[in-house]
Amino acid sequence: GSQARAVAVGRGGSGVELRREAVGAAVGRMHAEHAVVAIMGAHGSGADALADALFGTSFAAREDGAGAGAGASAAVAVDLALTRNAIVLDAPPRELVVLAGAQFGRTSDDGGVASDAELLRAWMLAVAEVVVLPAFMHDLESDDGSGRVALADAMALLLRLRSKGVLARSKKLLLMPVLDYEEEELPWDDLVAYAVRDLDRAMSSVVRPLGMESEPLRVSDLFQMEFVPLSSQALHPDQYESELETLRGRLLDPAADEYFFADGSWACATPKAEIEQHFARIAAALCDQRETQAAAATATASGVGGSRAAQGSGSGEEQEWELELVYEVEAARKRAVQQFESALAEWVAVVDGGRIVPRFGEESAELVLHVLRTFDDEVSEACASSPRSEVVRKAVSRKRHDLHAQMGLRLHELFKKQLLKLRDVALEVYREKIESLEPSDRMERDVSAAIKESEKFFTTKANGLRAASSAGLQPFGSWAFSGEKKQLLSLLRESGTDFVQMARLQGQYRPKSRQPIALSVHYLNTAPFGLTDSRYENLSPNDSVRFSPEDPVSDALKTQLTAVPTRAELVFSPEAAAKAGAS
């Protein structure tokens, strides 16, 4: 592609400026069926660089009006992907219009009015058939780093457009490349399951427009999802290039296996000649929606209406005061998030400094319960003069759940980081223990005892890091540490084996030799060739034998078979031997 150009720029309250000349420059180079691909990510996620690597674009190096002057988070650039030059007459490669920009971070307190970046993300999501949302593996547990909250916020705006008939109710392809994936840390199937679960939780917090309250809002209802692992480029460059090439082929080469756009999939329904008008129509609808939000927020801030319960009985008036209450609930949620993040900052500094927060589990539960109580009090005060309709009740429930989930996942992120530090401390405890061992014939047992002691230390401290069940954080992230414990034990056992082997090589440890014990049982066949002797009873290998060591008779013993319902017992009897001697 040629130099990427800014196609949409946020103008701080005046809406989205759509630069039609940039659209025309990209569309004018198309000559086949097309699709729009939007790629977005958090600051530092490398979304632009990944877009350039996949599509042959030039987003990372662009220097235009959408650069540093306008702010990368308030601009979207467009470029055309370099499709493969494959001669496939019956299936030419799909032309891809690629949009990049509007990076996301933590949501600011804007009183319920969409910011420029939020508006631009919603616009990208609205016009695209394929959404690429890259995230690093260790950021998937974070609301901000994974992008799920930003995606949910954008979907909230899109749902309003769908309710007004501006957008068709069709699924999109959500492609999620997982960067720096390490299978040793988490199996791929588990990672995908956790990611889908967290996306569903984020979507559940979205406030549905009036008339769409009963519609399901799981991520699978809105997107067809595809997760793709990408190994660390620094640690596994060859594997990374191979995985990147496979993904690039699925996007650009119709001859590749599992080509995303095979059989007309994910084709743009808007003709080439109408793309500019389509982009502009979506941008205008989003700007109108933000003006409505701003007007409602202004009315709420100035105290317009007093008691909303007395504002009239018309359905339009009821919807207006309901909308104002929903905005107030959202503002209360954002203030609660700020309160939580302010309290969390000290812990973040401690953990980033490589230390462990004392009483983290207990105090994190107390913090969550305190913030939730503050949110509940603010919502109760805001709704004191108005009856809570079904719409408001659902909004309060979703926002509270969203707040709870956001706090849980942020704390879970710190929990996981502290587990890694705790693992290192447990290893240090083990090393100090084995370094103090004296050479002895009990060295293997002493090493095993040191391993058990380190394991117990890790388990006890890790349980102290887990938030108390009263905070209800268990659904938000896995607060188990079985994976870290398993990894620790593997390191301890490997180190212990090396220690013992080195001691043996240096002559400091010589384990006691153990001689094998051979045990054999011999059976004398009384009729080896089928010839029988009338003096002996017939005895088969399946008959039971009872031997009495106290029997004084040592030779010429006769056998006496005692018949039982299920088996025969061989009895060595002195009386039988005496009779045999008399005869």
Side-chain angles (χ1 to χ4, degrees):
S2 61
Q3 178 68 40
R5 304 177 62 186
V7 64
V9 179
R11 289 306 181 194
S14 61
V16 174
E17 175 192 346
L18 183 67
R19 298 180 177 178
R20 295 199 174 196
E21 69 278 5
V23 181
V27 173
R29 308 201 315 267
M30 296 192 309
H31 53 77
E33 287 188 355
H34 61 278
V36 180
V37 177
I39 181 167
M40 61 185 80
H43 291 288
S45 66
D48 287 354
L50 180 62
D52 294 343
L54 288 174
F55 303 109
T57 50
S58 54
F59 293 115
R62 70 181 188 271
E63 296 179 359
D64 53 22
S73 64
V76 176
V78 63
D79 206 349
L80 197 64
L82 289 176
T83 52
R84 300 295 174 86
N85 296 321
I87 302 178
V88 184
L89 300 180
D90 59 340
R94 184 74 52 83
E95 296 280 8
L96 301 180
V97 179
V98 186
L99 303 173
Q103 295 178 348
F104 48 80
R106 288 188 176 88
T107 305
S108 60
D109 187 3
D110 48 20
V113 180
S115 65
D116 286 345
E118 289 172 335
L119 209 64
L120 288 171
R121 286 194 293 271
W123 178 79
M124 293 171 67
L125 194 60
V127 301
E129 285 75 42
V130 179
V131 180
V132 183
L133 191 65
F136 288 99
M137 176 180 175
H138 292 290
D139 287 337
L140 289 178
E141 297 177 351
S142 166
D143 280 348
D144 303 315
S146 66
R148 54 177 167 264
V149 170
L151 185 67
D153 290 342
M155 282 306 305
L157 297 174
L158 260 64
L159 288 177
R160 294 189 178 94
L161 296 185
R162 287 185 176 185
S163 67
K164 297 176 181 178
V166 178
L167 280 181
R169 302 189 180 189
S170 56
K171 282 188 177 184
K172 300 176 183 292
L173 173 61
L174 179 60
L175 181 61
M176 296 193 67
V178 180
L179 308 177
D180 288 358
Y181 172 67
E182 293 288 346
E183 187 176 7
E184 291 79 7
E185 295 189 22
L186 185 64
W188 180 247
D189 290 343
D190 292 346
L191 182 144
V192 172
Y194 293 151
V196 173
R197 179 200 62 190
D198 293 338
L199 280 169
D200 280 335
R201 290 201 180 106
M203 290 297 175
S204 68
S205 67
V206 172
V207 178
R208 298 164 178 78
L210 295 175
M212 298 181 65
E213 298 88 351
S214 61
E215 292 194 12
L217 200 60
R218 296 176 302 176
V219 66
S220 58
D221 298 320
L222 304 170
F223 299 98
Q224 177 177 318
M225 291 173 289
E226 181 89 21
F227 291 83
V228 179
L230 291 177
S231 302
S232 171
Q233 186 176 10
L235 300 178
H236 312 288
D238 294 338
Q239 186 174 353
Y240 170 81
E241 289 298 332
S242 175
E243 293 166 346
L244 187 69
E245 178 62 26
T246 300
L247 179 57
R248 187 186 295 121
R250 296 184 64 190
L251 288 164
L252 304 178
D253 189 355
D257 294 336
E258 299 182 343
Y259 180 54
F260 284 120
F261 305 99
D263 302 323
S265 300
W266 314 115
C268 181
T270 305
K272 172 182 174 180
E274 300 177 11
I275 288 183
E276 288 186 40
Q277 292 82 354
H278 176 62
F279 283 7
R281 184 171 64 253
I282 299 299
L286 287 169
C287 291
D288 291 343
Q289 187 168 289
R290 183 162 75 169
E291 290 178 4
T292 302
Q293 290 178 337
T298 301
T300 301
S302 59
V304 172
S307 175
R308 300 180 184 86
Q311 282 189 352
S313 59
S315 61
E317 295 176 353
E318 291 174 355
Q319 292 181 8
E320 183 177 345
W321 70 258
E322 285 177 335
L323 189 60
E324 291 179 13
L325 273 180
V326 170
Y327 287 148
E328 289 188 7
V329 171
E330 171 63 11
R333 184 194 70 84
K334 291 182 177 180
R335 287 192 295 271
V337 170
Q338 286 185 335
Q339 176 189 2
F340 172 76
E341 291 292 343
S342 178
L344 199 67
E346 182 178 352
W347 290 351
V348 172
V350 171
V351 175
D352 290 345
R355 293 172 292 165
I356 295 176
V357 179
R359 299 177 61 245
F360 175 77
E362 181 181 347
E363 293 188 0
S364 61
E366 293 175 358
L367 175 61
V368 168
L369 295 175
H370 174 70
V371 173
L372 289 177
R373 282 195 298 268
T374 302
F375 172 79
D376 292 339
D377 293 342
E378 289 193 18
V379 169
S380 298
E381 183 179 352
C383 301
S385 59
S386 305
R388 290 197 188 185
S389 66
E390 184 66 19
V391 173
V392 175
R393 279 196 295 270
K394 288 183 177 180
V396 171
S397 176
R398 283 192 293 268
K399 292 302 179 182
R400 193 181 194 278
H401 182 277
D402 182 32
L403 172 62
H404 202 178
Q406 188 168 353
M407 291 190 294
L409 293 171
R410 285 281 288 147
L411 289 170
H412 181 258
E413 181 182 355
L414 291 182
F415 170 72
K416 286 295 186 180
K417 288 182 178 180
Q418 291 181 91
L419 283 181
L420 297 178
K421 178 60 180 177
L422 184 60
R423 182 195 64 186
D424 295 340
V425 174
L427 283 171
E428 188 62 30
V429 170
Y430 163 77
R431 293 190 185 100
E432 292 179 357
K433 185 70 175 179
I434 63 172
E435 286 175 0
S436 63
L437 294 180
E438 297 292 338
S440 69
D441 56 0
R442 293 176 49 85
M443 182 169 289
E444 286 190 66
R445 295 182 182 179
D446 292 340
V447 170
S448 297
I451 291 175
K452 291 181 180 179
E453 182 177 341
S454 298
E455 178 189 3
K456 182 179 179 180
F457 170 83
F458 177 84
T459 303
T460 303
K461 296 295 185 182
N463 280 323
L465 292 175
R466 298 174 67 178
S469 58
S470 59
L473 298 179
Q474 282 68 27
F476 310 118
S478 172
W479 288 78
F481 49 85
S482 56
E484 289 79 4
K485 183 176 179 179
K486 180 179 179 181
Q487 187 179 22
L488 171 65
L489 286 175
S490 176
L491 293 172
L492 292 175
R493 288 164 182 162
E494 181 180 355
S495 175
T497 301
D498 293 342
F499 180 81
V500 172
Q501 292 295 338
M502 182 61 66
R504 293 184 65 177
L505 291 174
Q506 294 176 349
Q508 297 178 354
Y509 170 58
R510 293 182 179 179
K512 292 182 178 180
S513 59
R514 298 177 180 177
Q515 300 297 332
I517 298 175
L519 178 65
S520 60
V521 178
H522 301 275
Y523 168 72
L524 179 61
N525 190 349
T526 56
F529 306 107
L531 301 176
T532 60
D533 192 330
S534 61
R535 294 176 298 175
Y536 297 100
E537 300 287 351
N538 292 330
L539 182 65
S540 70
N542 295 326
D543 292 328
S544 298
V545 177
R546 187 173 65 197
F547 173 70
S548 177
E550 292 79 13
D551 191 345
V553 182
S554 59
D555 58 349
L557 293 179
K558 283 287 291 182
T559 61
Q560 177 182 359
L561 292 176
T562 303
V564 295
T566 57
R567 62 176 185 170
E569 294 185 349
L570 180 63
V571 181
F572 290 86
S573 171
E575 294 80 5
K579 291 181 181 179
S583 61

